[in-house]
C-alpha cells in the first residue's frame, strides 16, 4: 500500500511514485551481493536470514517522525534489498532440510499461511486507514516491531551441514574488494552460458514480470482518479480478495507443478496474468469486477511464486541452488530498471488504461515465448528439468 499512501496522503509527485516502484526491483541487483555470501557456506545461512530481517524492518520504526516521501522511498528500497537478497538463503534452507518430493508442498503451505494471515490483517488495516487520520504513521512501526519477533524463530532454524566432498573441501580465497564486486556477476554469467535451458526460462519470465511491472505506475492513478476508491475498498481487493484466490488455488498449482514441465507451468501463469487488466477495465461498470480481478491476480501470484522460488532448486538438481535463485533476483532488478519508468512515461503520454492493456500484452508474449521454449525442450529432452 505504500505507493498509494504516498500518492494520497503525502502528495508524492508522479516521479516519486515511479521511483518507489522502480527502486524496489532495481535494488535486487545489489541484493545479489548479500546472497552471494552464502554460496557453499551453509554455516552462514541462518545469520544471513536473521540480519536481513533486522536490517530490512529497522527504517520503518522511524516513520512517525519523518514525513518526506524520499524517506519512504529509501526505507522501501532497503526493505526490498534484503527481502530479495535473503531469498536464496531461504530456498537453500528448504532444499537441504526438506526431501525433494515434499518441497513444493511445504513451500505452498507456508505461503498460504503467509497470505491468508495478511488478508485477515488487511481487513482491520483498511478500516483504520480510513477511520483515523494518517493511521499509517503508527501502523508502520508497530508492524515492523511485530515482524522482528520472527528473528527468534529464524535463529533456531535447523540446517543440515553435510556437504558434498567438493563443497566440503572448499576454501575461501583471500578477500579482494574487486573480486567481491565482480564475483556475483561472473557466477550469474557463467550459469547462463552453462545452462541455456535456464537462460530461456529467464527470458520468458522477464517478459511476464516486465508486463506486471509496466502497469504498476498506472495503478494509483487508475484506482484513485478513475475508480475513486477508498482504503477499505483498496485493501479488500488488493489483500483479501487476492489472498483468498492465492490460498484456494495453491494446492492445485502444487499438484500441477509436480506433473508439468516448468515451462508449460509458467506459460499458464503468464496467460492468467494477461487477464488481470481486463478485470480492471470492467471495474468501471461495477466494483465486483475489481474484486474478481484481484481474486484472479491472487491465483496467478500463487503459481508465479511457486515457479519463481522453486525454479532454482528444480534446475540446480543436486547442485547448490543459491546461484540459480540469485539470478532470479537479478532479473527482477533488470526489468525494474526499464519497465516501471516506461510505464510512468506512457501514463503521461497516454493514460492508465492504455498502460494496463500494454502490460497484459507483455504477459501474452511471455506465454508465447514459454511455449516456444517448451517446444525446444521437447526436441532436446536431455535439457528438461525434472
Amino acid at each position: 500500500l505504500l505507493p498509494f499512501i504516498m500518492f494520497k496522503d503525502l502528495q508524492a509527485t508522479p516521479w516519486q511514485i515511479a521511483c518507489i516502484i522502480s527502486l524496489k526491483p532495481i535494488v535486487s541487483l545489489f541484493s545479489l551481493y548479500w546472497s552471494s555470501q552464502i554460496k557453499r557456506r551453509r554455516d552462514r545461512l541462518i545469520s544471513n536470514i536473521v540480519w536481513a530481517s533486522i536490517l530490512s524492518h529497522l527504517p520503518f520504526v522511524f516513520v512517525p517522525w519523518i514525513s518526506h516521501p524520499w524517506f519512504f522511498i529509501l526505507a522501501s528500497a532497503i526493505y526490498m534489498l534484503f527481502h530479495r537478497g535473503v531469498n536464496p538463503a531461504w530456498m537453500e534452507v528448504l532444499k537441504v532440510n526438506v526431501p525433494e518430493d515434499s518441497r513444493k508442498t511445504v513451500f505452498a503451505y507456508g505461503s498460504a499461511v503467509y497470505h491468508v494471515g495478511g488478508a485477515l490483517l488487511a481487513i482491520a488495516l483498511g478500516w483504520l486507514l480510513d477511520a483515523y487520520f494518517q493511521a499509517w504513521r503508527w501502523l508502520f512501526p508497530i508492524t515492523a516491531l511485530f515482524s522482528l519477533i520472527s528473528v527468534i524463530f529464524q535463529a533456531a532454524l535447523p540446517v543440515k551441514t553435510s556437504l558434498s566432498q567438493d563443497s566440503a573441501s572448499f576454501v575461501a580465497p583471500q578477500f579482494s574488494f574487486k573480486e567481491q564486486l565482480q564475483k556475483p556477476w561472473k557466477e550469474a554469467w557463467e550459469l547462463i552460458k552453462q545452462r541455456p535451458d535456464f537462460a530461456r526460462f529467464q527470458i520468458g519470465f522477464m517478459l511476464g514480470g516486465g508486463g506486471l511491472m509496466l502497469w504498476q505506475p498506472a495503478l494509483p492513478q487508475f484506482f484513485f482518479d478513475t475508480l475513486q476508491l477508498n482504503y477499505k475498498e483498496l485493501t479488500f481487493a488488493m489483500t483479501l480478495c487476492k489472498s483468498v484466490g492465492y490460498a484456494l488455488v495453491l494446492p492445485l498449482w502444487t499438484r500441477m507443478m509436480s506433473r508439468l514441465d516448468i515451462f508449460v507451468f509458467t506459460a499458464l501463469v503468464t496467460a492468467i496474468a494477461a487477464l488481470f487488466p481486463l478485470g480492471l477495465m470492467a471495474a468501471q461498470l461495477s466494483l465486483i469486477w475489481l474484486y474478481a480481478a484481484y481474486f484472479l491476480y491472487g491465483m496467478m501470484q500463487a503459481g508465479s511464486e511457486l515457479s519463481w522460488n522453486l525454479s532454482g532448486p528444480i534446475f540446480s538438481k543436486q547442485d547448490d541452488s543459491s546461484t540459480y535463485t540469485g539470478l532470479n533476483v537479478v532479473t527482477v532488478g533488470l526489468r525494474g530498471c526499464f519497465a516501471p519508468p516506461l510505464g510512468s512515461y506512457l501514463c503521461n503520454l497516454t493514460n492508465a488504461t492504455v498502460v494496463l492493456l500494454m502490460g497484459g500484452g507483455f504477459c501474452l508474449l511471455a506465454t508465447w515465448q514459454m511455449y516456444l521454449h517448451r517446444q525446444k525442450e521437447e526436441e532436446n529432452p536431455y535439457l528438461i528439468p525434472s
Side-chain angles (χ1 to χ4, degrees), residues 31 91 138 186 192 195 204 220 284 313 353 362 381 383:
S31 67
M91 291 302 101
W138 48 270
K186 286 181 178 179
I192 290 174
R195 295 297 302 270
Q284 297 176 77
T353 301
F362 273 99
L383 290 178

Side-chain angles (χ1 to χ4, degrees), residues 39-154:
K39 185 175 182 181
R40 292 182 169 180
R41 293 296 303 269
R42 289 184 183 171
D43 58 307
R44 293 181 175 178
L45 289 174
I46 302 304
S47 61
N48 188 274
I49 291 171
V50 168
W51 278 108
S53 293
I54 294 172
L55 296 173
S56 63
H57 291 94
L58 197 57
F60 292 103
V61 175
F62 303 99
V63 164
W65 301 281
I66 304 176
S67 299
H68 204 288
W70 286 111
F71 170 79
F72 291 88
I73 293 172
L74 176 64
S76 178
I78 292 173
Y79 175 82
M80 191 53 60
L81 170 69
F82 292 105
H83 179 69
R84 295 294 192 192
V86 78
N87 189 262
W90 274 116
M91 291 302 101
E92 188 65 11
V93 168
L94 179 71
K95 181 178 178 179
V96 301
N97 283 299
V98 181
E100 183 177 358
D101 56 351
S102 303
R103 287 175 198 156
K104 299 180 183 69
T105 302
V106 171
F107 180 86
Y109 279 112
S111 297
V113 171
Y114 172 82
H115 282 271
V116 171
L120 297 176
L121 185 63
I123 298 174
L125 291 182
W127 179 81
L128 289 171
L129 287 169
D130 279 328
Y132 296 95
F133 178 68
Q134 294 192 349
W136 47 267
R137 285 196 179 278
W138 48 270
L139 286 174
F140 271 117
I142 289 175
T143 52
L145 291 171
F146 188 76
S147 294
L148 286 172
I149 297 174
S150 65
V151 169
I152 300 172
F153 302 98
Q154 292 164 0

Side-chain angles (χ1 to χ4, degrees), residues 193-201 261-263 314-315 317 373-386:
K193 291 193 297 183
Q194 293 171 7
R195 295 297 302 270
D197 54 339
F198 192 56
R200 289 194 290 269
F201 175 80
D261 175 86
I262 193 169
F263 287 89
I314 288 173
F315 279 94
K317 296 182 171 64
H373 296 160
R374 168 57 182 163
Q375 294 300 99
K376 292 180 181 179
E377 299 304 317
E378 289 175 346
E379 295 166 9
N380 300 277
Y382 60 87
L383 290 178
I384 295 180
S386 57

Side-chain angles (χ1 to χ4, degrees), residues 196-254:
D197 54 339
F198 192 56
R200 289 194 290 269
F201 175 80
Q202 290 297 334
I203 292 172
F205 220 98
M206 177 74 77
L207 289 169
L212 268 63
M213 288 186 179
L214 185 72
W215 67 47
Q216 294 304 316
L219 292 179
Q221 178 183 340
F222 187 80
F223 288 157
F224 288 124
D225 293 346
T226 303
L227 298 183
Q228 301 290 317
L229 300 181
N230 56 38
Y231 280 125
K232 287 192 290 289
E233 294 166 335
L234 193 60
T235 54
F236 186 82
M238 291 186 64
T239 54
L240 182 61
C241 294
K242 184 171 70 172
S243 297
V244 170
Y246 185 104
L248 286 179
V249 83
L250 193 56
L252 176 61
W253 279 128
T254 305

Side-chain angles (χ1 to χ4, degrees), residues 348-362:
N348 293 328
L349 194 64
T350 57
N351 56 61
T353 301
V354 172
V355 176
L356 290 169
L357 294 175
M358 289 181 65
F362 273 99

